[in-house]
Amino acid sequence: SKKPWSFPGSSRGEEPKQRFESELRVTKEDSRPMRGSITMDRSSSAIRSTSDTRPLSQRDGVHFENDEMSGIAGILNLDGRPADPDLLRRMIDTLVHRGPDGEGLWTQGPVGLGHRMLHTTPESLQERQPLADETGDLCLTLDGRVDNRDELRVALEAKGAKLRSDTDAELVLRAYELWGEECPKQILGDFAFAIWDGRNQQLFCARDILGIKPFYYYTNGYTFLFASELRPLFEAPAVR
């Protein structure tokens, strides 16, 4: 079931915090205290489920030193100011320990998304994030793993989705493109992600219902910041 909750937006900055709601919607053009929604339906929660419980280092002859985490961070200026690429760079640089295998930055107007890559699955070897669709209207940054890959791919293709690759990021991006804010219900795995939806001018954030993947955020009513850890948030002068 969904319950409305008041998003903490005011002239007084709020301490960075970790939220245990599974979904968060932020719309940039509304200057009033924002509204969001939470979903606590455990029947659709993204609980880790896989028949292969072996460590990744024992699967498919591929060795990975660590299968724990990547890192994500982002900025949304609710007053329409362009996202500061230097701030985004500083935020993502603090997460280098989470993703030594690559990095990516993406900005468009008031929004900026960043990613630090750790190769945790064979499919992730070809993954590049943040990941945009063909139009540039949708852009994703994801820390996570999709465990029901085969089922999700079949469901997407049955609905006419054209997958460009076999990566988890592509699956999640297409799931949002097809099902919108209902997409987390289709995903089994450990995940935290943010998608900028330029069509609706909103940032949609979600994570697995158990909170296995961290998601911290800060807002002062003018700027919304998020990251996989607290430290990147303190790169913003407003967060003190």
Side-chain angles (χ1 to χ4, degrees), residues 95-238:
L95 298 173
V96 65
H97 59 285
R98 296 183 69 95
D101 295 329
E103 66 174 35
L105 302 174
W106 179 91
T107 59
Q108 186 180 90
V111 64
L113 303 177
H115 189 271
R116 293 293 320 191
M117 174 64 69
L118 178 68
H119 293 148
T120 60
T121 66
E123 294 79 16
S124 68
L125 292 171
Q126 58 177 312
E127 194 166 72
R128 298 292 181 270
Q129 291 194 52
L131 179 68
D133 70 351
E134 297 87 348
T135 67
D137 289 335
L138 300 178
C139 190
L140 163 79
T141 185
L142 163 74
D143 170 25
R145 188 181 73 227
V146 176
D147 288 334
N148 61 331
R149 296 177 47 80
D150 293 340
E151 296 89 341
L152 184 56
R153 184 187 306 109
V154 169
L156 288 168
E157 291 177 342
K159 295 287 188 179
K162 304 298 183 182
L163 299 175
R164 299 169 296 181
S165 71
D166 196 34
T167 64
D168 288 352
E170 178 74 2
L171 291 171
V172 173
L173 183 68
R174 297 304 179 183
Y176 180 85
E177 184 179 52
L178 186 59
W179 293 298
E181 295 175 18
E182 299 298 310
C183 72
K185 297 179 180 179
Q186 307 292 330
I187 304 169
L188 296 179
D190 309 337
F191 62 83
F193 67 81
I195 293 181
W196 172 246
D197 184 342
R199 302 167 304 184
N200 297 308
Q201 292 292 288
Q202 74 173 22
L203 182 71
F204 179 73
C205 311
R207 68 172 183 171
D208 59 88
I209 197 69
L210 297 183
I212 293 173
K213 292 296 184 180
F215 186 91
Y216 293 87
Y217 73 80
Y218 166 89
T219 185
N220 57 11
Y222 301 98
T223 297
F224 177 85
L225 308 172
F226 71 87
S228 297
E229 297 179 3
L230 277 172
R231 185 180 172 190
L233 304 183
F234 287 98
E235 291 298 319

Side-chain angles (χ1 to χ4, degrees), residues 20-144:
F20 288 88
E21 293 90 357
S22 64
E23 299 176 14
L24 173 63
R25 180 175 63 254
V26 185
T27 306
K28 80 175 183 66
E29 69 269 22
D30 191 350
S31 61
R32 299 168 298 173
M34 293 170 286
R35 305 291 293 182
S37 64
I38 59 175
T39 300
M40 301 299 291
D41 181 358
R42 292 187 180 274
S43 65
S44 63
S45 63
I47 299 173
R48 190 172 181 171
S49 174
T50 178
S51 58
D52 190 348
T53 59
R54 294 174 297 159
L56 282 168
S57 58
Q58 298 176 17
R59 299 185 205 175
D60 303 321
V62 178
H63 173 71
F64 298 94
E65 293 183 357
N66 190 311
D67 66 347
E68 290 298 321
M69 55 192 176
S70 293
I72 62 175
I75 305 165
L76 173 60
N77 287 326
L78 302 167
D79 56 6
R81 288 176 296 114
D84 183 349
D86 293 331
L87 171 58
L88 185 60
R89 161 62 63 187
R90 295 197 304 273
M91 291 174 69
I92 212 67
D93 282 350
T94 67
L95 298 173
V96 65
H97 59 285
R98 296 183 69 95
D101 295 329
E103 66 174 35
L105 302 174
W106 179 91
T107 59
Q108 186 180 90
V111 64
L113 303 177
H115 189 271
R116 293 293 320 191
M117 174 64 69
L118 178 68
H119 293 148
T120 60
T121 66
E123 294 79 16
S124 68
L125 292 171
Q126 58 177 312
E127 194 166 72
R128 298 292 181 270
Q129 291 194 52
L131 179 68
D133 70 351
E134 297 87 348
T135 67
D137 289 335
L138 300 178
C139 190
L140 163 79
T141 185
L142 163 74
D143 170 25

